[in-house]
Amino acid sequence: MADFTSGLRPADPQGPSLLAQERARSSIDVEQLAKHLLSRNDFLGRQKRILSILTRIPLFSKRNLLNIARPDRYQLGLARAKTLRRLSLKHGWDQEDYLMAEYLMDEMGPYALQSSMFATSIREQCSDEQKAYWLPKVENWEIIGCYGQTELGHGSNVKGIECQAKWDPQTKEFIIHSPTLTASKWWNGALGRTANHAIVVAQLLLPGPENDKYESYGPHQFIVQIRDMESNKPLDGIVIGDIGPKYGYPGMDNGYMLFNHFRVPHGALLSKYSGVDIEHGAYIKPNNPALVYGTMTFIRAQIIMHARLVLARAVTIAVRYLSIRRQFSDRDSKEACAPEEAVLNYPTVQIRILPLLATTFALHYTGESMYKLYWSTRRQIENTGDISRLAEMHAASSGLKSICTTLAADGIETCRRAMGGHGFGGGSGMVGLNNEYLSKPTVEGDNWMITQQTASYLIKRMAEVVSQPNFKPQDSIHEQFQEYILGTKDSRKNSNGLDVVGDPFALVAAFKQRVSYLAHQMYQARVIETEPWTSLMIPLHRLSCAHAESLLVSNFYEAAFTRISPPSPDQATVDILQTLFRLFALFTLRASASEFLVSRTITVDTVAHVTPAIQKLMTQVRPHAVRLVDAWSIPDYLLESDLGSYDGDVYNRVFQRAHQENPLNMLTFNSDWRSEEIIMGEGEENASKRMQALALGVAGRVRSPSLSSKL
Amino acid sequence: MADFTSGLRPADPQGPSLLAQERARSSIDVEQLAKHLLSRNDFLGRQKRILSILTRIPLFSKRNLLNIARPDRYQLGLARAKTLRRLSLKHGWDQEDYLMAEYLMDEMGPYALQSSMFATSIREQCSDEQKAYWLPKVENWEIIGCYGQTELGHGSNVKGIECQAKWDPQTKEFIIHSPTLTASKWWNGALGRTANHAIVVAQLLLPGPENDKYESYGPHQFIVQIRDMESNKPLDGIVIGDIGPKYGYPGMDNGYMLFNHFRVPHGALLSKYSGVDIEHGAYIKPNNPALVYGTMTFIRAQIIMHARLVLARAVTIAVRYLSIRRQFSDRDSKEACAPEEAVLNYPTVQIRILPLLATTFALHYTGESMYKLYWSTRRQIENTGDISRLAEMHAASSGLKSICTTLAADGIETCRRAMGGHGFGGGSGMVGLNNEYLSKPTVEGDNWMITQQTASYLIKRMAEVVSQPNFKPQDSIHEQFQEYILGTKDSRKNSNGLDVVGDPFALVAAFKQRVSYLAHQMYQARVIETEPWTSLMIPLHRLSCAHAESLLVSNFYEAAFTRISPPSPDQATVDILQTLFRLFALFTLRASASEFLVSRTITVDTVAHVTPAIQKLMTQVRPHAVRLVDAWSIPDYLLESDLGSYDGDVYNRVFQRAHQENPLNMLTFNSDWRSEEIIMGEGEENASKRMQALALGVAGRVRSPSLSSKL
């Protein structure tokens, strides 16, 4: 629209010049730091290569996403997923390339399960014969798959699922059946409208010795064709649908599915580890399932690495925008018309953003450390068969998944709120980010539930320490536990507790000391006093959080102080990383200060110095904030944020999105309450019908609303 | 759809029977408690009366809201707003009735500013002559209004707004002008597509004594016609539009507006308190603006009362659903197939939900107390002209607005996450609630900014205490401050600190002691050591939070222990209220335990007992949880939640919404990646065009060079 606004520009100072000044204030070598952070699997090179392909495809534009109806949004998701598949063939992408494309498109589309859960199940749970049959079809995308585990009535408690697979010895088939409504599969991605095949998790029921009463052998995986390959309609005996709108994932068709005595052949049961004897209907017992924990650790390491990039995205937007945004002048200024301050200069804004900036690095080094642990444990198992480290690895990954996804989910919203009004707008890039990520604290193990596994492990280890032959009750239990479990024995504590403010290593020791104290308390309560598990759940959760925080702090310390991993940045940058370490650790300590006090790790006098120390560290980080987020190398296409773009041209972008691209502004409305007309000129009767249809949707029409009757 | 699922029901036990059991476990008289909580302005009677009208109107159905496109969503909002206006005339609603309808419809529609900010400005800022002209037009809805204060470049800092109103002594007109892009009005509700008039806040510029250089007299309000009354198009010289999608408020057209030397008459300046002499162009100074604070206090009391109902809504859904939802059996159970536990029985779930249940009551009693303070202060001013209590009231209302809206906003998300997978679904009723409420920590005074006003007040009062003629430095400053400011002198502290676990009143004393300690610290830093204000912002924020929490605790204590207000519930219910008080206060104390320790209010030994005490209190509250949320009387129409409906028929409702009402399920899709077709039978070419249009939106239709260059 050409009008007088085309001659206007934002009030000075301009965003781009402000960001240039910010970048000039710091000597951090962004490229070097980016390489240090993002060299694994050639992340940076891959990002650049895939990005240049994606941004040339108009269908992949993100500009209109918040304007369209949910049914249309799924269709766009499907169209994009198809295009992505074709691109991957054209350019010969490997799996990592494909994942990079999904990350940059920032969309969980209807094919997202194909090469993840669907293919993985077939690869890892099928017998060789099954694999030979199914894997080529999956890898060539001849069939489109999904993974059907969770149900309307059961999520976390997989053992409780109700869907049944009953062996019929007569016909040598399994009868898959949903005996109740709550047995309906629920939430399964790609199931709702897309997939023609599914991995279905069902209770395996086999007849007893006399072929009479059926017994359950627990949940097992079956591969089932669910839709006709021509019409894409559900097969007879199966009811399927999309579960409807939800928080985030608008382009994905999360589905429901019920079976009415639906028969599948003997070969449908994925039978690498267990099976049913086709002749006698006897159960074939599975091998040691411990290796499953290994895979879970790998997935959780990926979740942590993803969490760091998601949080980095929010922090990038916040740091850039808040360096540009000005509001109020200094209260103590003597000038009559003092210039307004950059919002990021206010300590009340810094305290919300800069510890989160430090957190992105904390997550990074722990994610790296989890990968290393996974690969070394895997090698150990493959070479020696020794699975002794699996439990430690699983405990760490559970506690870390819980805390890292909570940190990222809460962190996004903290950044959004710190951005005031514009943090609210659709052009902030925060609305979709928030909505999409909010599933993470729930999926892959609920964050308040999986911590029990970590706590349970720590109690067992504490019991081992106490029952050691060389255990000396006269010594400090905590020191012995630390030495035995946590790999350090360091007690620099004097009568004033640890000097967490002055000595970086004291922070590491403080976090370990707290774990040890809480672990011993829980050992005492559960093992000695045999208190009911349920009654201990709150302190058990705290114990797990303490352990996970201790790992975050230790790994960060190691990376910044003792063993900076190559390609390493220059010393000036390492100094900043050390400052970020102290900021992260002190901020985390402050949030649970009373636990450090109760465990006599620090004193009340020390606590009083923590907040001033945090504030001082923040002033040291502040000049480097923009360069530090630059190092995370989040491209503008991924940010999709008027506030956080690399160039800092905030207000022109915000205005253009509203003034040039908002479909609502193409229409003029009749705002007179006495008229039922809505769009000027459409007439009262048309408007009434249209509005009624919008309000009632399917409920009002019975038959399909025309999805194309938009505007 | 009639299929085999119509014969299925959820696995036992059924939700309705579980809720019936829950209700049978408690003897709380729900009706009596509801009257105690909701008698102000006949809330309950009004709710019943308005509800029965609204639920008969098909246009007011909420079933389809998450499926429709944003431009349609605004149109539906406009249609509903018109219907609501007509209903209000038909039924002779007063303002309270109208607000009740808006509350129950849970929609901020395009007329929402008409009787609030627009009418209020005219009533309170117009001269008698102006009022006589404008008020009838506003009250008859002949004109539709909005309120244009915030701008693209300025929100909280009203003094910094850039829009100008320059007095032209020749023509006796004001020239309203936007000199920059950031001067654009921004965020203003109803402006985008609806309103034909606006209150515009602009810097008043008057020529100097020689009619030469202009001087600014700060922001003033002008009433301006902005659209043609026939065509509803913006008048020449004004550019207006809707700012686009944002977090929540999809039915509202938040707008932007720029002026190009737009002339308005002398009478456009609202001139009850200040004005411009039409003859000489001289400024007429305003009266004491202190009364504005009074109105703000009233609005903030309303915000607190709204926060309690919003939080009650989230807690109602969570308590009901989590009483029904079962997952896992007790780990210590000896039974082979122990029944699964209600999720609300797990302490790790209780700790997230039950303190929030207690918080609804805490907010309630403080909201009540704020109303009382407002009316008594107003009476005092009207009767005696004594405005001495305004500052106290304003300080309290600022601190409370900050903390109460944060508690509610965070509380909603805490409830949602506690509900696991289904908390995620569109049928939870939590998605819209979350999105809508997330503006509240930002609007009406940013929650991290307005706390400075509270802290500033407390420092002044501390300075007064210290400079009192009878101040005795040898006595405890804190006791003298408490007596002077906080109205109590109670020091039950012994060498073990206050007995906050055992003695309810000790909790009140502890919160006051903490305020006094922090206030004295800030007095010392700011007044004695003259530290820069900005450097103190973090502890100043904490001081304000401590004061607000102290008010919440004191008011709750008073209501539950010393002065239960009529109509009062029976003693058994009062006992529960007292338990809820202790739960709220101890939970709040625990969250900031280190501040209580640093201020020597409690000892480290006491802290160790707080969590077990909280857990014990929760087991006392647990049996009453369902009846307690019932007392908040949130109707199903407002909840719009399959999980939280009064009858507890969770799974049937969740399934029906997906299976009967999801428009996406009316279509069958071509999921073969080799075909560009999307809907089965539509053909590849049609699909390609449609998908391209969806992706690019307006950007694909109108000239937008920058977008295509970016892609």
Side-chain angles (χ1 to χ4, degrees):
Chain A
M1 284 176 257
D3 52 42
F4 67 84
T5 63
S6 57
L8 294 177
R9 57 178 224 155
D12 284 328
Q14 301 298 311
S17 76
L18 290 169
L19 276 199
Q21 285 167 36
E22 290 279 348
R23 290 181 175 121
R25 287 167 74 185
S26 163
S27 62
I28 285 180
D29 184 332
V30 169
E31 206 175 318
Q32 203 184 43
L33 181 56
K35 278 187 190 147
H36 168 67
L37 294 169
L38 302 164
S39 285
R40 168 179 296 281
N41 285 329
D42 186 30
F43 185 94
L44 282 174
R46 196 185 307 275
Q47 172 168 287
K48 197 174 165 190
R49 181 163 46 82
I50 304 293
L51 189 66
S52 77
I53 295 168
L54 297 182
T55 50
R56 284 198 301 263
I57 316 268
L59 194 63
F60 291 173
S61 167
K62 302 175 182 178
R63 305 289 292 178
N64 197 41
L65 292 187
L66 294 177
N67 284 312
I68 63 188
R70 203 258 150 175
D72 288 341
R73 190 67 188 75
Y74 161 75
Q75 298 182 52
L76 183 58
L78 181 58
R80 289 171 160 192
K82 291 182 176 193
T83 308
L84 201 61
R85 163 67 182 160
R86 287 184 221 121
L87 279 177
S88 79
L89 288 178
K90 180 178 164 192
H91 296 282
W93 287 350
D94 62 16
Q95 176 68 0
E96 288 287 325
D97 291 335
Y98 200 88
L99 291 175
M100 174 61 80
E102 283 191 331
Y103 161 71
L104 292 171
M105 289 179 70
D106 196 27
E107 170 159 301
M108 186 70 100
Y111 291 160
L113 279 292
Q114 180 74 0
S115 29
S116 58
M117 284 303 278
F118 187 58
T120 307
S121 288
I122 290 186
R123 240 176 246 121
E124 297 187 355
Q125 304 295 326
C126 278
S127 67
D128 289 343
E129 192 190 348
Q130 289 173 324
K131 222 180 331 194
Y133 179 80
W134 289 110
L135 207 50
K137 290 183 197 294
V138 175
E139 290 180 341
N140 295 330
W141 294 49
E142 280 168 47
I143 60 175
I144 300 295
C146 65
Y147 184 78
Q149 178 175 299
T150 50
E151 296 180 350
L152 185 52
H154 285 89
S156 292
N157 185 10
V158 181
K159 284 184 190 159
I161 63 167
E162 300 178 60
C163 183
Q164 301 172 342
K166 202 184 234 181
W167 176 245
D168 180 345
Q170 254 61 54
T171 63
K172 312 287 186 195
E173 291 170 319
F174 294 103
I175 304 164
I176 302 192
H177 185 61
S178 313
T180 62
L181 204 62
T182 38
S184 176
K185 292 295 160 193
W186 204 267
W187 277 117
N188 323 109
L191 169 63
R193 308 314 290 158
T194 315
N196 45 43
H197 283 69
I199 304 291
V200 175
V201 179
Q203 298 284 355
L204 174 64
L205 300 181
L206 299 179
E210 311 293 318
N211 269 359
D212 50 353
K213 252 182 78 184
Y214 275 81
E215 275 174 51
S216 176
Y217 288 78
H220 283 70
Q221 296 182 5
F222 297 81
I223 181 161
V224 183
Q225 181 180 339
I226 56 173
R227 283 191 171 92
D228 180 78
M229 298 299 290
E230 286 301 311
S231 70
N232 212 30
K233 299 257 189 201
L235 298 179
D236 279 353
I238 310 184
V239 159
I240 319 183
D242 172 272
I243 61 167
K246 65 247 161 186
Y247 232 117
Y249 301 100
M252 169 61 95
D253 54 322
N254 295 83
Y256 61 89
M257 173 161 62
L258 296 109
F259 298 92
N260 189 21
H261 302 288
F262 186 82
R263 287 173 175 269
V264 297
H266 173 261
L269 173 63
L270 305 194
S271 49
K272 178 169 182 178
Y273 295 108
S274 59
V276 170
D277 180 296
I278 194 163
E279 289 310 314
H280 311 97
Y283 186 62
I284 303 161
K285 276 194 181 167
N287 300 338
N288 190 334
L291 278 172
V292 175
Y293 286 143
T295 313
M296 220 186 268
T297 300
F298 188 72
I299 289 171
R300 284 176 179 168
Q302 286 179 318
I303 290 174
I304 296 165
M305 290 307 239
H306 178 245
R308 92 196 195 286
L309 284 180
V310 164
L311 186 57
R313 206 168 130 190
V315 174
T316 298
I317 295 170
V319 163
R320 288 183 184 155
Y321 172 62
L322 296 171
S323 301
I324 293 162
R325 179 74 169 180
R326 265 122 179 92
Q327 208 80 178
F328 293 107
S329 30
D330 184 0
R331 185 161 164 159
D332 292 327
S333 171
K334 301 282 179 291
E335 293 175 64
C337 271
E340 291 186 290
E341 280 288 325
V343 174
L344 193 56
N345 292 346
Y346 294 112
T348 36
V349 173
Q350 291 178 358
I351 193 76
R352 289 180 280 170
I353 304 302
L354 299 183
L356 289 175
L357 174 56
T359 303
T360 60
F361 291 87
L363 297 183
H364 170 75
Y365 293 117
T366 282
E368 286 288 342
S369 150
M370 289 297 291
Y371 274 138
K372 271 178 219 150
L373 182 61
Y374 170 75
W375 290 114
S376 73
T377 307
R378 200 179 147 136
R379 258 196 314 277
Q380 190 177 30
I381 294 172
E382 279 165 6
N383 294 343
T384 69
D386 175 6
I387 59 165
S388 60
R389 287 177 69 191
L390 272 180
E392 172 201 350
M393 194 168 82
H394 181 62
S397 78
S398 300
L400 284 167
K401 186 272 166 181
S402 172
I403 214 149
C404 294
T405 54
T406 298
L407 281 170
D410 293 348
I412 293 165
E413 175 62 10
T414 300
C415 288
R416 200 194 58 69
R417 284 192 207 170
M419 291 191 278
H422 290 310
F424 236 84
S428 66
M430 302 297 287
V431 177
L433 181 61
N434 213 352
N435 288 352
E436 298 285 303
Y437 199 78
L438 283 180
S439 65
K440 296 296 183 290
T442 302
V443 299
E444 299 285 348
D446 180 273
N447 280 2
W448 279 77
M449 197 200 69
I450 52 173
T451 51
Q452 289 181 59
Q453 298 163 16
T454 310
S456 174
Y457 165 81
L458 291 168
I459 292 173
K460 276 191 204 119
R461 301 307 295 266
M462 180 56 86
E464 285 169 22
V465 170
V466 172
S467 65
Q468 268 184 113
N470 56 345
F471 177 70
K472 309 176 201 95
Q474 71 275 23
D475 282 13
S476 157
I477 288 169
H478 307 312
E479 278 173 39
Q480 294 178 66
F481 183 74
Q482 275 178 247
E483 194 180 357
Y484 184 69
I485 303 301
L486 306 168
T488 30
K489 178 170 182 169
D490 186 281
S491 188
R492 306 192 187 184
K493 216 167 37 163
N494 54 33
S495 57
N496 293 320
L498 287 159
D499 177 20
V500 290
V501 170
D503 173 7
F505 186 73
L507 281 162
V508 178
F511 276 86
K512 290 186 173 177
Q513 165 96 8
R514 166 180 168 232
V515 177
S516 174
Y517 175 85
L518 295 175
H520 188 257
Q521 275 209 320
M522 287 300 99
Y523 161 77
Q524 191 72 26
R526 178 67 179 168
V527 180
I528 306 300
E529 289 155 28
T530 63
E531 289 187 32
W533 183 263
T534 300
S535 74
L536 296 173
M537 278 182 173
I538 295 172
L540 290 167
H541 178 72
R542 292 305 310 159
L543 168 58
S544 169
C545 293
H547 183 53
E549 286 178 353
S550 176
L551 291 171
L552 286 168
V553 166
S554 299
N555 291 327
F556 198 168
Y557 179 84
E558 205 180 314
F561 284 86
T562 68
R563 195 174 48 82
I564 190 101
S565 60
S568 60
D570 56 29
Q571 190 53 45
T573 305
V574 171
D575 290 346
I576 306 288
L577 289 176
Q578 294 180 352
T579 306
L580 288 169
F581 161 77
R582 293 181 61 205
L583 177 56
F584 172 76
L586 275 178
F587 184 82
T588 306
L589 177 142
R590 202 200 57 164
S592 304
S594 64
E595 282 181 4
F596 289 87
L597 288 166
V598 169
S599 63
R600 316 284 167 178
T601 309
I602 55 171
T603 64
V604 170
D605 288 330
T606 304
V607 169
H609 294 107
V610 169
T611 298
I614 288 173
Q615 197 165 330
K616 199 172 156 200
L617 291 167
M618 292 196 302
T619 57
Q620 289 165 24
V621 171
R622 169 71 185 87
H624 306 286
V626 169
R627 280 191 177 242
L628 284 168
V629 299
D630 285 352
W632 282 113
S633 312
I634 318 271
D636 282 357
Y637 175 69
L638 179 54
L639 291 175
E640 183 56 25
S641 170
D642 302 330
L643 310 184
S645 293
Y646 186 85
D647 66 5
D649 200 9
V650 170
Y651 297 112
N652 282 317
R653 287 177 190 276
V654 172
F655 186 72
Q656 158 159 346
R657 191 184 291 260
H659 196 47
Q660 306 288 352
E661 299 178 22
N662 181 356
L664 189 56
N665 289 335
M666 305 287 127
L667 297 170
T668 303
F669 298 96
N670 182 337
S671 62
D672 187 335
W673 62 274
R674 287 158 296 207
S675 167
E676 293 210 26
E677 186 177 66
I678 297 296
I679 297 173
M680 275 289 185
E682 79 170 323
E684 299 206 325
E685 203 188 337
N686 284 345
S688 293
K689 280 186 198 154
R690 211 160 51 82
M691 290 306 111
Q692 188 101 347
L694 280 178
L696 293 175
V698 179
R701 292 188 178 195
V702 183
R703 290 187 57 87
S704 164
S706 161
L707 294 168
S708 49
S709 70
K710 296 283 154 248
L711 295 180
Chain B
M1 282 177 261
D3 52 41
F4 68 83
T5 63
S6 58
L8 294 176
R9 57 178 225 155
D12 285 327
Q14 300 299 310
S17 75
L18 290 169
L19 277 199
Q21 284 166 36
E22 290 279 349
R23 289 180 175 121
R25 286 167 74 184
S26 163
S27 62
I28 285 179
D29 184 333
V30 170
E31 205 176 320
Q32 203 185 44
L33 180 56
K35 278 187 190 147
H36 168 68
L37 295 169
L38 301 165
S39 286
R40 169 181 295 280
N41 285 329
D42 186 29
F43 185 94
L44 282 174
R46 196 184 307 274
Q47 173 167 284
K48 197 173 165 192
R49 180 161 48 81
I50 304 293
L51 189 67
S52 76
I53 295 168
L54 297 183
T55 50
R56 284 199 300 264
I57 315 266
L59 195 62
F60 291 172
S61 166
K62 301 174 181 178
R63 305 290 293 178
N64 197 41
L65 292 187
L66 295 177
N67 284 310
I68 63 188
R70 203 258 151 174
D72 287 342
R73 190 65 188 77
Y74 161 74
Q75 297 182 52
L76 182 57
L78 180 58
R80 288 171 160 191
K82 290 182 177 191
T83 308
L84 201 62
R85 164 66 182 159
R86 286 183 223 122
L87 279 176
S88 80
L89 289 178
K90 180 178 162 192
H91 295 283
W93 287 349
D94 62 18
Q95 176 68 1
E96 289 287 325
D97 292 334
Y98 200 88
L99 291 175
M100 174 61 79
E102 283 190 330
Y103 161 72
L104 292 171
M105 290 179 69
D106 196 27
E107 172 158 301
M108 186 70 98
Y111 291 160
L113 279 292
Q114 181 74 2
S115 30
S116 57
M117 284 303 277
F118 188 58
T120 306
S121 288
I122 290 183
R123 238 175 249 123
E124 297 187 356
Q125 303 293 327
C126 278
S127 67
D128 289 342
E129 193 189 348
Q130 289 173 322
K131 218 177 337 192
Y133 179 80
W134 288 109
L135 208 50
K137 290 181 198 295
V138 175
E139 290 181 340
N140 296 329
W141 294 49
E142 279 169 47
I143 59 175
I144 300 294
C146 64
Y147 183 79
Q149 179 175 299
T150 51
E151 296 180 351
L152 185 52
H154 285 89
S156 292
N157 185 10
V158 181
K159 282 185 190 157
I161 64 166
E162 300 178 61
C163 183
Q164 300 172 342
K166 202 183 232 179
W167 176 243
D168 179 346
Q170 254 62 54
T171 63
K172 313 287 186 196
E173 290 169 320
F174 294 103
I175 305 164
I176 301 192
H177 185 60
S178 313
T180 62
L181 205 60
T182 39
S184 176
K185 291 296 161 192
W186 205 268
W187 276 117
N188 323 108
L191 168 63
R193 307 316 289 157
T194 315
N196 44 43
H197 282 69
I199 305 292
V200 175
V201 179
Q203 299 282 356
L204 175 64
L205 300 180
L206 299 178
E210 310 292 315
N211 269 2
D212 49 357
K213 253 182 74 184
Y214 275 80
E215 275 175 53
S216 176
Y217 288 78
H220 282 70
Q221 297 182 5
F222 297 81
I223 182 162
V224 182
Q225 181 182 341
I226 57 173
R227 283 190 170 93
D228 180 76
M229 297 301 289
E230 286 301 311
S231 70
N232 211 30
K233 299 258 190 202
L235 298 179
D236 278 352
I238 309 185
V239 159
I240 319 183
D242 171 272
I243 60 167
K246 64 247 161 186
Y247 232 117
Y249 302 101
M252 170 60 96
D253 55 321
N254 295 84
Y256 61 89
M257 174 162 61
L258 296 108
F259 298 92
N260 189 21
H261 302 289
F262 185 84
R263 286 174 175 268
V264 297
H266 173 263
L269 173 63
L270 304 195
S271 49
K272 178 168 182 179
Y273 295 107
S274 60
V276 171
D277 179 297
I278 195 162
E279 289 311 315
H280 312 95
Y283 186 61
I284 302 160
K285 276 195 184 165
N287 300 338
N288 188 335
L291 278 172
V292 175
Y293 287 141
T295 313
M296 222 185 267
T297 300
F298 187 71
I299 289 171
R300 286 176 177 167
Q302 286 179 317
I303 289 174
I304 296 166
M305 290 308 239
H306 178 246
R308 92 196 196 284
L309 285 180
V310 164
L311 186 57
R313 207 168 128 188
V315 173
T316 297
I317 295 171
V319 164
R320 289 183 185 156
Y321 172 61
L322 296 171
S323 302
I324 293 163
R325 179 75 169 180
R326 263 115 180 97
Q327 208 81 176
F328 294 107
S329 27
D330 184 359
R331 185 162 163 155
D332 293 327
S333 171
K334 301 280 179 291
E335 294 174 62
C337 271
E340 292 186 291
E341 281 287 325
V343 174
L344 193 55
N345 292 346
Y346 294 112
T348 36
V349 173
Q350 291 178 359
I351 194 75
R352 289 180 280 169
I353 304 301
L354 299 183
L356 289 175
L357 174 56
T359 303
T360 61
F361 291 87
L363 298 183
H364 171 76
Y365 293 117
T366 282
E368 286 288 342
S369 149
M370 289 297 290
Y371 274 139
K372 271 178 219 149
L373 181 62
Y374 171 76
W375 289 115
S376 73
T377 307
R378 200 180 147 134
R379 257 196 313 276
Q380 189 176 30
I381 295 172
E382 279 165 6
N383 293 344
T384 68
D386 175 6
I387 59 164
S388 60
R389 287 177 69 192
L390 272 180
E392 172 200 351
M393 192 167 83
H394 180 62
S397 78
S398 299
L400 284 167
K401 185 272 168 184
S402 172
I403 214 147
C404 294
T405 54
T406 299
L407 281 170
D410 292 348
I412 293 166
E413 176 61 10
T414 300
C415 288
R416 198 193 60 67
R417 284 192 206 169
M419 291 191 277
H422 290 309
F424 237 84
S428 67
M430 301 297 287
V431 177
L433 180 61
N434 213 353
N435 288 353
E436 297 285 303
Y437 199 77
L438 283 180
S439 65
K440 296 296 183 289
T442 303
V443 301
E444 299 286 349
D446 180 271
N447 280 2
W448 279 76
M449 197 200 69
I450 52 172
T451 51
Q452 289 180 61
Q453 298 164 13
T454 310
S456 175
Y457 166 81
L458 291 168
I459 293 173
K460 276 191 204 120
R461 301 308 294 266
M462 181 56 86
E464 284 169 22
V465 170
V466 173
S467 65
Q468 269 184 111
N470 56 345
F471 177 69
K472 308 174 201 100
Q474 71 274 23
D475 283 11
S476 157
I477 287 169
H478 307 313
E479 278 174 39
Q480 293 178 68
F481 183 72
Q482 274 178 247
E483 194 179 358
Y484 185 67
I485 303 300
L486 305 168
T488 30
K489 179 170 180 169
D490 186 279
S491 189
R492 305 192 187 183
K493 214 168 36 162
N494 54 34
S495 56
N496 293 321
L498 286 160
D499 176 21
V500 289
V501 171
D503 174 7
F505 186 74
L507 282 161
V508 178
F511 277 86
K512 289 187 173 176
Q513 165 96 6
R514 166 179 169 234
V515 177
S516 173
Y517 176 85
L518 297 174
H520 188 255
Q521 274 209 319
M522 286 302 97
Y523 161 78
Q524 192 72 23
R526 179 66 180 169
V527 180
I528 305 300
E529 290 155 28
T530 62
E531 290 187 32
W533 183 263
T534 300
S535 74
L536 295 173
M537 278 182 175
I538 295 172
L540 290 167
H541 179 71
R542 292 304 310 158
L543 168 58
S544 169
C545 292
H547 182 53
E549 286 178 354
S550 176
L551 291 170
L552 286 168
V553 166
S554 300
N555 290 326
F556 199 168
Y557 180 84
E558 205 179 313
F561 285 85
T562 67
R563 195 174 48 82
I564 189 102
S565 61
S568 59
D570 56 29
Q571 190 53 44
T573 305
V574 171
D575 289 347
I576 306 288
L577 289 176
Q578 294 180 353
T579 306
L580 288 169
F581 160 77
R582 292 181 62 206
L583 176 57
F584 172 77
L586 275 178
F587 184 83
T588 306
L589 176 142
R590 202 200 57 164
S592 304
S594 64
E595 281 181 6
F596 290 87
L597 288 165
V598 170
S599 63
R600 316 284 167 179
T601 308
I602 54 171
T603 63
V604 170
D605 290 328
T606 305
V607 168
H609 294 108
V610 170
T611 299
I614 288 172
Q615 197 164 329
K616 198 172 155 199
L617 291 166
M618 292 196 302
T619 57
Q620 290 165 23
V621 170
R622 170 68 186 88
H624 306 287
V626 169
R627 280 192 178 242
L628 285 168
V629 299
D630 286 352
W632 282 113
S633 313
I634 319 272
D636 282 356
Y637 175 70
L638 179 54
L639 292 175
E640 184 56 24
S641 170
D642 302 330
L643 309 184
S645 292
Y646 186 85
D647 67 5
D649 200 10
V650 170
Y651 296 112
N652 281 318
R653 286 178 190 276
V654 172
F655 187 73
Q656 156 157 351
R657 192 184 290 259
H659 195 49
Q660 307 287 353
E661 299 179 21
N662 181 356
L664 190 56
N665 289 334
M666 305 289 130
L667 297 170
T668 304
F669 298 96
N670 183 336
S671 61
D672 187 335
W673 61 273
R674 287 159 296 208
S675 167
E676 294 211 25
E677 185 178 68
I678 297 296
I679 296 174
M680 275 289 185
E682 79 171 324
E684 299 207 326
E685 204 190 334
N686 283 344
S688 293
K689 279 186 199 155
R690 210 160 51 82
M691 291 305 111
Q692 189 99 349
L694 279 178
L696 293 175
V698 178
R701 277 182 260 165
V702 300
R703 295 165 294 140
S704 180
S706 49
L707 174 65
S708 44
S709 69
K710 261 166 223 142
L711 280 167

